[in-house]
Amino acid sequence: MPRVDDARDSQTFLAALGLKLSDFFEEWFPDAFSLALVAVAIVFVAAVGVGSSPVQAATWFGAGYWDLTAFTLQMSLIIVTGYAVAVAPPVFRLIERLAGMPKSGKGAIAFVALFSMLSSLISWSFTLIFSALLAREVARRLTSVDYRALGAAAFLGIGSIWALGLSSSAALIMAAPASLPDNVEKISGIIPLSQTIGLWQSGVMAVVIVTMSIAIAYYSAPSVEHSRNAGDLGVSLQEQPAPHVGRIRPGEWLEHSPLLTLIIGGLGSIYLVREVAANGFGILLDLNHYVFTFLMAGLLLHWRPRSFVQAVAAGVPGVAGIMLQYPIYAGIVRMMTESELATRMAHFFVAISNEHTFPVLVGIYSAVLGLFIPSAGAKWLVEAPYLLEAAKSLNVHLGWIVQTYNATEALANMIHPFWMLPLIGILGLKPRDIVGYSMLQFVVHVPVVLMLVWLLNYTL
């Protein structure tokens, strides 16, 4: 493999820097589970440092371990049902057509980055599955593409603009009376989507971020001679042959018949139609409805129960990291909230703000807190009472504070294994394989996004 110094001589500065960062993080970046344990230790020490007893902090960690049980199961089901939908023949044919469009390694990486970000505007959970499978199929067809840079490109949606789109947790919470906590509603009232994700300033920010991200992905992609494909990383992309079906025994008839698929799919469709009629299409973005929709879609697209079960089984290995690590982060969240670490941080940033600097400081605070509370909705509920109260007192547009939070809290995702786990499970990689290229995006995104939230604040 060529040395990075050689790469610097023959490639652009950005491509050489991408290789250097990738090599560094492959060598030094911890395993995702080890990093979660390090985060536990840091938050524990900090909680004790602000006055909590070690026994209290340990108790909060243990009690909080179960706080994300429902979310962990939802995410696991999103992965396996999303995988089942994506590998169903009709959908996979679409992915194959898309994967056949790029003709060069650089073009493929930019192509996957674009689709990752566009799909993230529809749904953060959909983009994790769709982008991973698109990247995997592109890599299978185009063996010259660097699999590390391609994986980082597939992750761009969840690490950049997803929260500016239709599944924005903070914006949806603020617009829905049923989900808005009383203490937050008393401060701000309902903030409609037209004043958050519907702002033209939000659209401008999304366009700038997408354009910048694609440019970085394209120009940082290594040349063919310096690329490492999936095989070089020990990942097999060979399609598994469909199992041969011999004589079907009477007891197996139902497994191979579409009869039950049609009945159950019909029942599920009736339920979803009634839910949409009563609550609008936005109800399908609710995680429970989202999972159920994918479950029904996967069942119908595979047509036969046996095919659907085999697809789900193939997607199960991708959830191992989720099942193990998400509860640990739940314990971290409980320690930070119960010890008031998050509150103290919020008060510090509010105290040093004025009407012009407040959005920037909100952004910095949200990005830092995202390293320890990697859940947009849960983190917003921690921050909202203090940030919105301060925004009112400083006469800052409340909707823009929500969008500032949305744009900046995603920054930490680029280098945080929490959200990488579903994607890398499908790609067969580890966080250290893609975090070098993600770090390159992160380093550029942070100052640009903070500059945007500051400048655009003057237009409101």
Side-chain angles (χ1 to χ4, degrees):
M1 177 180 170
R3 294 184 300 108
V4 173
D5 291 341
D6 298 331
R8 186 180 293 114
D9 293 338
S10 60
Q11 299 196 106
T12 64
F13 168 78
L14 208 56
L17 181 59
L19 280 172
K20 187 171 183 178
L21 286 172
S22 183
D23 289 343
F24 175 83
F25 282 103
E26 282 184 54
E27 186 72 22
W28 290 99
F29 197 73
D31 172 75
F33 181 65
S34 300
L35 199 62
L37 298 183
V38 169
V40 172
I42 292 173
V43 174
F44 175 82
V45 171
V48 173
V50 297
S52 304
S53 74
V55 173
Q56 275 182 318
T59 301
W60 292 329
F61 173 72
Y65 186 86
W66 306 105
D67 287 350
L68 289 181
T69 299
F71 182 66
T72 300
L73 180 58
Q74 287 169 332
M75 283 300 299
S76 299
L77 288 173
I78 282 173
I79 300 307
V80 296
T81 58
Y83 184 89
V85 167
V87 298
V91 179
F92 194 68
R93 282 195 291 270
L94 172 62
I95 291 177
E96 285 184 313
R97 290 194 186 98
L98 290 173
M101 295 176 69
K103 303 303 179 185
S104 69
K106 285 180 175 289
I109 290 167
F111 181 82
V112 169
L114 172 63
F115 274 88
S116 172
M117 288 182 285
L118 292 181
S119 60
S120 76
L121 291 173
I122 300 171
S123 169
W124 62 264
S125 51
F126 174 72
T127 192
L128 284 172
I129 307 302
F130 175 80
S131 302
L133 290 168
L134 178 61
R136 187 179 175 93
E137 185 61 19
V138 166
R140 193 177 70 83
R141 289 165 170 265
L142 199 64
T143 56
S144 62
V145 69
D146 189 281
Y147 200 49
R148 302 162 299 175
L150 192 67
F155 189 60
L156 265 176
I158 203 71
S160 59
I161 63 167
W162 77 269
L164 301 179
L166 298 177
S167 62
S168 167
S169 302
L172 293 175
I173 288 172
M174 296 306 299
S179 61
L180 191 60
D182 291 340
N183 64 326
V184 177
E185 187 173 3
K186 288 177 182 177
I187 297 170
S188 64
I190 303 300
I191 302 179
L193 294 178
S194 62
Q195 294 299 303
T196 53
I197 62 176
L199 290 170
W200 68 261
Q201 290 88 348
S202 181
V204 168
M205 188 155 52
V207 170
V208 172
I209 292 173
V210 168
T211 304
M212 173 183 68
S213 301
I214 293 174
I216 296 170
Y218 181 85
Y219 289 107
S220 66
S223 58
V224 174
E225 62 267 26
H226 298 294
S227 295
R228 294 179 65 190
N229 62 24
D232 296 331
L233 298 170
V235 179
S236 174
L237 300 179
Q238 296 301 313
E239 293 184 274
Q240 296 296 319
H244 174 71
V245 178
R247 184 179 68 87
I248 299 176
R249 292 172 290 191
E252 296 177 324
W253 182 79
L254 287 175
E255 301 172 39
H256 296 274
S257 169
L259 177 62
L260 289 177
T261 297
L262 290 172
I263 293 173
I264 304 304
L267 294 175
S269 298
I270 291 171
Y271 166 72
L272 290 172
V273 168
R274 287 178 61 85
E275 288 291 287
V276 170
N279 303 287
F281 279 98
I283 192 66
L284 297 181
L285 295 176
D286 169 76
L287 280 182
N288 287 336
H289 289 80
Y290 188 87
V291 170
F292 190 78
T293 301
F294 267 63
L295 178 66
M296 293 299 106
L299 192 60
L300 290 169
L301 287 167
H302 280 276
W303 198 239
R304 292 173 173 79
R306 169 66 70 89
S307 174
F308 178 68
V309 170
Q310 289 172 340
V312 167
V316 165
V319 309
I322 292 172
M323 299 295 289
L324 183 63
Q325 293 176 50
Y326 277 22
I328 290 176
Y329 283 105
I332 293 173
V333 172
R334 178 71 75 92
M335 282 196 292
M336 289 204 69
T337 53
E338 294 289 348
S339 66
E340 298 190 345
L341 271 171
T343 303
R344 289 168 180 259
M345 289 175 62
H347 283 309
F348 170 76
F349 281 99
V350 166
I352 61 174
S353 302
N354 60 44
E355 60 180 309
H356 301 301
T357 62
F358 186 62
V360 176
L361 292 171
V362 167
I364 295 171
Y365 165 66
S366 298
V368 172
L369 195 61
L371 295 172
F372 299 97
I373 306 181
S375 173
K379 186 154 66 72
W380 174 247
L381 294 178
V382 172
E383 299 182 35
Y386 314 102
L387 299 186
L388 293 176
E389 184 67 53
K392 282 185 67 176
S393 66
L394 293 170
N395 200 29
V396 178
H397 191 286
L398 298 183
W400 187 241
I401 292 303
V402 177
Q403 287 307 90
T404 295
Y405 168 84
N406 282 332
T408 55
E409 74 86 23
L411 293 172
N413 293 351
M414 288 188 179
I415 56 174
H416 202 302
F418 184 88
W419 294 114
M420 292 181 187
L421 294 173
L423 180 133
I424 62 175
I426 292 173
L427 293 176
L429 294 172
K430 295 181 178 180
R432 63 168 60 99
D433 295 320
I434 70 171
V435 77
Y437 286 99
S438 292
M439 178 61 76
L440 180 58
Q441 292 276 1
F442 177 81
V443 169
V444 180
H445 275 238
V446 169
V448 172
V449 171
L450 291 177
M451 179 68 72
L452 285 171
V453 300
W454 176 63
L455 289 175
L456 292 172
N457 181 53
Y458 283 94
T459 68
L460 291 157

